[in-house]
Amino acid sequence: MLSYILRRIVATLPVMAIVALFVFSLLYIAPGDPAVVIAGDQASPEDVERIRQSLGLDRPFLVQFGSWVWRILHGDLGTSIFTNLPVSAMIGQRLGPTLSLMIVTLLLTVVVAVPLGVVAAWKAGSLIDRVIMGFAVFGFSLPVFVVGYMLAYIFALELEWLPVQGYTPLSSGFWPWLENLILPAVALGCVYIALVARITRAAMLEVLQQDYIRTAKAKGLGQGGILFIHALKNAAVPIVTVIGIGIALLIGGAVVTESVFAIPGLGRLTIDAILRRDYPVIQGIVLLFSFVYVLVNLMIDVVYTLVDPRIRY
């Protein structure tokens, strides 16, 4: 098992190298010249060239890439063009709200989607199954921003049960922190819940047809024990996989959700950086999101070795 995990870790290194090359290439793929953006519309060609030299944009591509990777390995993500602050410091300031939103959404998804999928498989073909799957199709079809605006209008503006926007740090209290995250987490989690519920149902249906499930029923084991102890445990591999892959949905959806609910997280920082063409900030955030996604997939592979006894090589 240890050798398998080590091989998976080594296999992620080329992936991160390709990701780093793509992230750095954003500077050249995106339209516009960073030096022109910094200098402004009234700058002379000499001023633009001077800025280009100070940023190292006049050097060969591979030299720039090597220098950038060297700084990344030393924890230097660069400096923002507009705020003149270190990108790592800006990300650190915005990491808390985004991390809080993703954690609450992930917990909400697991608590809601897995039981829904189990019940749908248990009542396969019944009205309950059709209602749950209908909700899954409906939730998967709605864009995040549409759900966000609907929730904000109903629960914040009309009923005035929850705040419509903003973020309160956990240090200010658990309920004020959670209160600001309920609507964004539900909006962001709708697609995720629908996806996990459908996969859970499919995995459970396959497991419930196995001989050992029929044997457990014949021995008089309760329905809850059969579903949540025997069946769910053996159906865990595809469920864990889709939960891990769904982290990408959370990362992408967080950008839209934070904009709808005015949460000062990495999503808002990403949009602001794109609008201002602040390339160092864009590169730092994309590199961070890519690293998190690769790390999550690596963790899924490690979980495989724990839940699937066939992986021991």
Side-chain angles (χ1 to χ4, degrees), residues 108-124:
L108 177 67
T109 298
V110 174
V111 170
V112 174
V114 174
L116 284 179
V118 172
V119 172
W122 176 37
K123 298 292 186 179

Side-chain angles (χ1 to χ4, degrees), residues 102 195 231 293 296:
M102 293 181 64
L195 177 63
Y293 187 65
V296 168

Side-chain angles (χ1 to χ4, degrees), residues 40-54:
D41 297 333
Q42 306 300 324
S44 65
E46 292 76 13
D47 294 332
V48 173
E49 184 61 28
R50 191 182 310 111
I51 293 175
R52 185 177 289 109
Q53 292 178 0
S54 64

Side-chain angles (χ1 to χ4, degrees), residues 27-270:
L27 186 64
Y28 295 88
I29 298 174
D33 188 342
V36 175
V37 175
I38 298 173
D41 297 333
Q42 306 300 324
S44 65
E46 292 76 13
D47 294 332
V48 173
E49 184 61 28
R50 191 182 310 111
I51 293 175
R52 185 177 289 109
Q53 292 178 0
S54 64
L55 294 176
L57 299 177
D58 58 331
R59 294 181 295 175
F61 174 83
L62 292 179
V63 175
Q64 294 183 52
F65 177 67
S67 177
W68 181 73
V69 171
W70 179 256
R71 293 197 305 269
I72 293 297
L73 293 177
H74 287 79
D76 182 10
L77 296 177
T79 303
S80 170
I81 294 175
F82 288 89
T83 64
N84 204 30
L85 294 174
V87 174
S88 56
M90 297 177 65
I91 291 177
Q93 293 172 356
R94 302 293 190 97
L95 186 60
T98 300
L99 192 60
S100 298
L101 176 60
M102 293 181 64
I103 290 175
V104 174
T105 304
L106 185 61
L107 292 176
L108 177 67
T109 298
V110 174
V111 170
V112 174
V114 174
L116 284 179
V118 172
V119 172
W122 176 37
K123 298 292 186 179
S126 67
L127 178 61
I128 296 177
D129 178 30
R130 290 195 291 269
V131 170
I132 294 176
M133 288 300 99
F135 161 76
V137 173
F138 183 72
F140 200 76
S141 303
L142 286 177
V144 174
F145 70 91
V146 173
V147 179
Y149 284 126
M150 290 173 55
L151 293 175
Y153 177 77
I154 296 173
F155 294 99
L157 299 180
E158 291 293 326
L159 300 177
E160 298 183 355
W161 289 354
L162 296 167
V164 67
Q165 61 182 7
Y167 171 77
T168 302
L170 184 58
S171 58
S172 300
F174 178 76
W175 174 244
W177 170 79
L178 182 62
E179 187 181 31
N180 283 276
L181 293 173
I182 293 176
L183 292 182
V186 173
L188 180 57
C190 276
V191 175
Y192 202 20
I193 290 173
L195 177 63
V196 174
R198 289 174 64 89
I199 297 299
T200 301
R201 178 184 181 274
M204 287 291 294
L205 282 177
E206 182 178 353
V207 171
L208 289 175
Q209 297 174 1
Q210 301 299 318
D211 292 337
Y212 66 87
I213 297 296
R214 288 190 286 268
T215 301
K217 291 180 180 179
K219 290 182 177 180
L221 188 64
Q223 193 68 48
I226 293 175
L227 290 175
F228 291 97
I229 297 178
H230 292 277
L232 185 58
K233 178 182 178 181
N234 289 280
V237 171
I239 298 173
V240 171
T241 301
V242 76
I243 289 176
I245 294 175
I247 298 296
L249 294 176
L250 295 184
I251 293 175
V255 176
V256 179
T257 306
E258 290 180 3
S259 298
V260 173
F261 292 95
I263 298 176
L266 292 177
R268 285 287 301 277
L269 181 62
T270 302

